[in-house]
Amino acid sequence: MYTVIDVETTGLSPIKNRITEVALYNVDGDKITKVFSTLVNPECRSPKFIQMATGISDTMVEDAPKFKDIAPKLKRLFRNRQFVAHNADF
């Protein structure tokens, strides 16, 4: 049982930049058992080159939940599971 998570961000630094999208997949054996995906309001503006690279505009995230509001759900979804992520610092 493991969880694969992917994020889009306002830049490459986990210290200076923020998350704009989260996608999470719980996998048991060869079956995806849970999918969760949401845009995230980073509470800051994304540089234009990031908006172009991710396809996520400031307008798209302005009414999205803040990370602090989805963090408890994310934590529940990957509790007691192996965690798989690229650029896991975020």
Side-chain angles (χ1 to χ4, degrees), residues 45-54 56-58:
R45 299 187 68 75
S46 291
K48 289 293 180 194
F49 77 94
I50 294 290
Q51 292 182 50
M52 295 295 292
T54 64
I56 301 170
S57 69
D58 289 339

Side-chain angles (χ1 to χ4, degrees), residues 7-10 18-22 37-48 50-51 54-67 69-70:
V7 297
E8 296 297 340
T9 64
T10 61
R18 306 292 300 267
I19 294 172
T20 57
E21 183 179 33
V22 173
S37 179
T38 185
L39 292 172
V40 178
N41 183 332
E43 302 182 80
C44 65
R45 299 187 68 75
S46 291
K48 289 293 180 194
I50 294 290
Q51 292 182 50
T54 64
I56 301 170
S57 69
D58 289 339
T59 303
M60 292 170 65
V61 297
E62 66 187 15
D63 293 327
K66 296 175 181 156
F67 186 80
D69 297 326
I70 64 164

Side-chain angles (χ1 to χ4, degrees), residues 9-28:
T9 64
T10 61
L12 299 176
S13 171
I15 296 169
K16 296 177 184 177
N17 299 120
R18 306 292 300 267
I19 294 172
T20 57
E21 183 179 33
V22 173
L24 176 147
Y25 299 85
N26 281 351
V27 181
D28 294 340

